[in-house]
Amino acid sequence: DQQVKQNSPSLSVQEGRISILNCDYTNSMFDYFLWYKKYPAEGPTFLISISSIKDKNEDGRFTVFLNKSAKHLSLHIVPSQPGDSAVYFCAPWGGSNYKLTFGKGTLLTVNP
Amino acid sequence: DTAVSQTPKYLVTQMGNDKSIKCEQNLGHDTMYWYKQDSKKFLKIMFSYNNKELIINETVPNRFSPKSPDKAHLNLHINSLELGDSAVYFCASSHERTTMRVDYGYTFGSGTRLTVV
């Protein structure tokens, strides 16, 4: 029962270009959508979030877009930097159990 | 000053053994969690405790027993370890169970890699 799908296991981009990471979900009861970044041998760290009542949230180089009708969100990183190379997890929150549900992650590699 | 700390970071043990993983948070959060990341890389919630009370138990085998002596600690004890228990276990905490702090979400520890041989 995969409520959160990140269909691209990996993404490779050139430094300075845009990275777009996608996420699809099935549960319309989610209240917030979070993105986490994970480096090897470390725990996930919070990156950016968006409320279900908004369609865009921006924080520096990172922008998250939410399309509720399509149950789709995306994370844009502009410009991409080599230090952005990590696994990115989409993690919606809410519903009846109030828990953070994770996608499988997308490995982003930013090449110098 | 680590916010969520787990020990040990690595644990290698034989099948059938009993082991524990400890977790402590110094953020003053009310809710703590255990997540498991298996070989397929899914991060799945196992347990959630709110102020020492078990809230979520995601159909985890009863060989896994969480213990929360106070709201700053959530330990995970595993009995009769099996090969399939090999995974990375993450502890996390949040401000409160039913509200989401959108500026930081859940705070995770760095993980414990458990290898059962």
Side-chain angles (χ1 to χ4, degrees):
Chain A
D1 178 21
Q2 263 186 271
Q3 294 190 66
V4 185
K5 290 186 180 178
Q6 294 178 254
N7 290 320
S8 297
S10 62
L11 174 67
S12 183
V13 299
Q14 285 298 119
E15 181 178 5
R17 307 295 288 267
I18 186 171
S19 296
I20 300 176
L21 297 99
N22 294 303
C23 176
D24 296 294
Y25 62 95
T26 58
N27 187 345
S28 59
M29 301 299 292
F30 289 134
D31 298 301
Y32 295 95
F33 301 86
L34 287 70
W35 284 91
Y36 276 80
K37 177 179 178 179
K38 185 183 179 304
Y39 293 116
E42 294 185 13
T45 55
F46 173 79
L47 185 61
I48 191 171
S49 68
I50 188 168
S51 164
S52 61
I53 62 173
K54 295 188 175 182
D55 54 18
K56 178 182 175 181
N57 187 30
E58 191 172 352
D59 183 3
R61 297 186 296 115
F62 302 92
T63 303
V64 58
F65 295 92
L66 175 62
N67 183 334
K68 281 193 72 177
S69 60
K71 293 191 176 69
H72 176 85
L73 64 156
S74 60
L75 173 67
H76 293 211
I77 306 174
V78 183
S80 301
Q81 299 174 353
D84 296 331
S85 297
V87 176
Y88 289 80
F89 290 98
C90 170
W93 179 90
S96 57
N97 285 335
Y98 299 105
K99 62 182 181 181
L100 206 55
T101 302
F102 282 81
K104 201 173 177 179
T106 296
L107 173 62
L108 172 66
T109 303
V110 180
N111 301 302
Chain B
D1 198 20
T2 306
V4 179
S5 59
Q6 298 179 226
T7 54
K9 190 165 178 67
Y10 300 96
L11 186 53
V12 180
T13 187
Q14 290 188 327
M15 282 176 56
N17 283 351
D18 303 338
K19 289 293 179 186
S20 293
I21 305 172
K22 295 185 176 181
C23 179
E24 176 181 4
Q25 55 97 2
N26 62 6
L27 298 166
H29 288 168
D30 283 338
T31 309
M32 296 185 72
Y33 311 85
W34 279 109
Y35 277 79
K36 176 181 179 181
Q37 186 176 35
D38 59 23
S39 58
K40 295 181 181 177
K41 304 303 182 185
F42 281 108
L43 254 171
K44 291 184 178 177
I45 192 167
M46 300 173 68
F47 300 104
S48 165
Y49 266 74
N50 187 66
N51 204 6
K52 303 193 295 177
E53 180 185 354
L54 178 64
I55 301 298
I56 293 175
N57 181 341
E58 289 281 317
T59 59
V60 177
N62 57 16
R63 297 182 296 103
F64 291 78
S65 53
K67 293 281 192 304
S68 183
D70 54 60
K71 74 174 192 177
H73 296 84
L74 180 61
N75 304 321
L76 184 64
H77 189 77
I78 315 170
N79 288 326
S80 304
L81 277 154
E82 301 177 356
L83 292 176
D85 298 331
S86 295
V88 182
Y89 293 85
F90 290 98
C91 177
S93 71
S94 69
H95 175 68
E96 201 271 330
R97 188 177 78 89
T98 59
T99 58
M100 172 52 69
R101 288 292 301 267
V102 295
D103 49 345
Y104 62 79
Y106 290 9
T107 303
F108 283 81
S110 59
T112 296
R113 180 174 292 277
L114 171 65
T115 304
V116 182
V117 298

